[in-house]
């Protein structure tokens, strides 16, 4: 569970803003079972509760950025796995560029000459 | 499997269902199915199941309010201010020329917090709220004073008073007190019940 009180509201909002793009990044490598996606994102502290992954995945499906496939499971009934669509892959590529530009802009403002010199090492 | 763990899970899913009630049915049911499956998978991974571990799983799944917001719905707390005001207006709104009570009634029936039974109960106990109790509470005194004044004067100068149908105009004080206690406590109980139901939802 994310401790927003300690981390600050801005960080919680930032996490919420990028969580769906991080899902696309995970799906870029392989298909994922929803439960495992939820665990991975919660461990990375990108979602406030594992259950929030399902409305997020539903939204990505409506936007046609992800799709689902049924796979047999050795531990019970077939499971629905999530996979990236071509549109999702294109969206991820664009997000990677935007994220690099965004972090570069923020870093240049934070660490430009005259700002707190030790901030980078805290 | 112990009933208590099953009960915990069912209660969580019921709360989630309530929290997502404003979503289209297909989307709501899909999220509920996904989360129920998530809980089942987490249970399957437990070496041995007990109540503490089920509570831990549900805590990790997260607060239903956060899931509601992730589904694109507005925050529930504060959205329905009427749910906080309706019980008070039903109890005391009658003192404001009855308009306050009628406004409370509208808020009550618009709300999704209370079930039909509670809405019917709050509507009929009592229409007008405590104001009705105060108004009707004064009636026996007024009635008795009117009845006792129906007297006849005889030729010999004596005055003879009769109560209609031979019924005493003065009911027993004990009965009056009991009726008054019931009349006042009934709407207070309904108000408490409305707040209690709202706080659980």
């Amino acid at each position: 569970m994310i401790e927003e009180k300690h981390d600050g509201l801005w960080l919680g909002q930032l996490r919420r803003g990028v969580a769906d793009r991080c899902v696309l990044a995970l799906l870029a490598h392989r298909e994922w079972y929803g439960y495992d996606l939820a665990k991975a994102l919660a461990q990375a502290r990108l979602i406030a509760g594992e259950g929030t992954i399902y409305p997020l995945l539903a939204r990505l499906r409506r936007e046609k950025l992800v799709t689902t496939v049924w796979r047999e499971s050795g531990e019970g009934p077939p499971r629905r796995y999530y996979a990236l669509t071509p549109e999702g892959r294109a969206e991820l590529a664009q997000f990677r560029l935007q994220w690099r530009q965004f972090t570069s802009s923020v870093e240049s403002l934070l660490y430009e000459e005259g700002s707190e010199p030790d901030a980078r090492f805290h | 499997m112990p009933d208590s763990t099953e009960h915990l899970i069912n209660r969580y899913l019921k709360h989630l269902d309530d929290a997502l009630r404003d979503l289209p049915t297909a989307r709501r049911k899909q999220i509920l199915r996904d989360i129920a499956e998530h809980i089942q998978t987490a249970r399957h991974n437990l070496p041995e199941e007990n109540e503490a571990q089920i509570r831990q799983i549900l805590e990790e799944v997260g607060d239903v309010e956060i899931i509601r917001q992730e589904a694109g719905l507005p925050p529930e707390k504060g959205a329905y201010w009427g749910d906080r005001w309706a019980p008070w207006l039903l109890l005391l709104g009658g003192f404001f020329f009855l308009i306050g009570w009628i406004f409370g009634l509208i808020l009550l029936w618009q709300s999704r917090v209370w079930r039909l039974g509670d809405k019917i109960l709050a509507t009929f106990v009592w229409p007008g709220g405590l104001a009705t109790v105060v108004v009707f509470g004064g009636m026996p005194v007024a009635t008795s004073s009117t009845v006792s004044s129906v007297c006849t004067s005889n030729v010999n100068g004596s005055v003879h008073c009769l109560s209609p149908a031979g019924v005493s105009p003065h009911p027993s004080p004990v009965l009056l007190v009991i009726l008054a206690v019931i009349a006042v406590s009934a709407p207070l109980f309904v108000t408490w019940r409305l707040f209690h139901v709202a706080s659980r939802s």
Side-chain angles (χ1 to χ4, degrees):
Chain A
M1 198 74 56
I2 294 174
E3 299 281 344
E4 280 189 16
K5 277 180 190 168
H6 297 115
D7 289 345
L9 187 61
W10 68 271
L11 193 50
Q13 289 170 340
L14 186 60
R15 282 168 172 148
R16 274 193 289 278
V18 299
D20 56 353
R21 267 47 195 166
C22 292
V23 169
L24 298 182
L26 286 172
L27 295 176
H29 308 297
R30 63 176 172 92
E31 294 170 358
W32 281 72
Y33 180 44
Y35 176 85
D36 297 328
L37 263 179
K39 285 284 175 195
L41 288 176
Q43 203 163 8
R45 293 161 54 87
L46 283 166
I47 51 176
E50 292 169 7
T52 59
I53 192 75
Y54 297 102
L56 188 156
L57 286 167
R59 193 173 68 246
L60 292 175
R61 281 182 74 193
R62 285 200 303 280
E63 293 170 357
K64 301 195 187 310
L65 300 178
V66 305
T67 187
T68 54
V69 280
W70 288 95
R71 300 280 181 226
E72 284 298 331
S73 160
E75 301 170 2
R79 290 173 168 180
R80 209 162 56 158
Y81 278 69
Y82 292 85
L84 209 56
T85 62
E87 291 91 337
R89 206 167 286 281
E91 180 68 28
L92 177 63
Q94 193 185 2
F95 177 72
R96 281 184 169 135
L97 280 175
Q98 289 170 330
W99 180 253
R100 192 154 287 169
Q101 286 167 1
F102 172 76
T103 51
S104 164
S105 304
V106 174
E107 283 203 8
S108 69
L109 283 170
L110 286 177
Y111 305 121
E112 70 183 0
E113 207 170 324
S115 63
E116 181 60 48
D118 291 334
R120 160 193 307 262
F121 304 107
H122 282 294
Chain B
M1 183 182 311
D3 284 348
S4 60
T5 57
E6 210 56 32
H7 172 72
L8 281 175
I9 294 167
N10 289 337
R11 194 177 62 179
Y12 178 86
L13 292 173
K14 169 76 176 59
H15 284 167
L16 183 62
D17 193 19
D18 283 346
L20 300 177
R21 62 186 177 266
D22 294 331
L23 279 182
T25 308
R27 280 172 60 188
R28 179 171 55 84
K29 286 190 171 170
Q30 184 60 59
I31 293 172
L32 279 167
R33 270 199 301 270
D34 287 341
I35 291 181
E37 186 182 322
H38 182 102
I39 293 168
Q40 287 308 318
T41 308
R43 289 173 76 178
H44 185 78
N45 292 342
L46 292 174
E48 194 183 345
E49 185 172 293
N50 60 40
E51 187 179 325
Q53 284 168 323
I54 293 295
R55 285 184 186 278
Q56 183 65 34
I57 287 173
L58 296 178
E59 194 174 306
E60 285 171 2
V61 172
D63 187 345
V64 296
E65 176 63 20
I66 303 172
I67 298 172
R68 174 189 160 85
Q69 289 179 39
E70 186 59 45
L73 295 171
E76 181 130 61
K77 281 166 190 158
Y80 299 107
W81 59 271
D83 296 344
R84 289 199 304 270
W85 283 99
W88 289 119
L89 287 169
L90 289 168
L91 185 69
L92 303 168
F95 290 108
F96 300 98
F97 310 103
L98 212 62
I99 293 292
W101 182 81
I102 292 169
F103 192 47
L105 197 65
I106 293 168
L107 293 176
L108 173 80
W109 282 91
Q110 277 185 339
S111 171
R112 291 180 174 186
V113 164
W114 297 292
R115 305 268 177 205
L116 182 65
D118 286 321
K119 289 178 179 179
I120 292 172
L121 183 72
T123 303
F124 290 102
V125 181
W126 309 115
L130 279 182
T132 303
V133 178
V134 170
V135 169
F136 281 86
M139 281 190 71
V141 179
T143 310
S144 64
S145 62
T146 311
V147 171
S148 62
S149 67
V150 180
C151 300
T152 50
S153 301
N154 292 331
V155 234
N156 60 7
S158 67
V159 177
H160 185 63
C161 294
L162 282 173
S163 58
V167 177
S168 166
H170 302 290
S172 149
V174 178
L175 183 65
L176 278 178
V177 169
I178 292 171
L179 285 175
V181 168
I182 292 172
V184 172
S185 58
L188 288 176
F189 167 76
V190 172
T191 305
W192 169 83
R193 179 165 172 78
L194 291 180
F195 278 122
H196 179 66
V197 172
S199 70
R200 279 188 311 171
S201 68

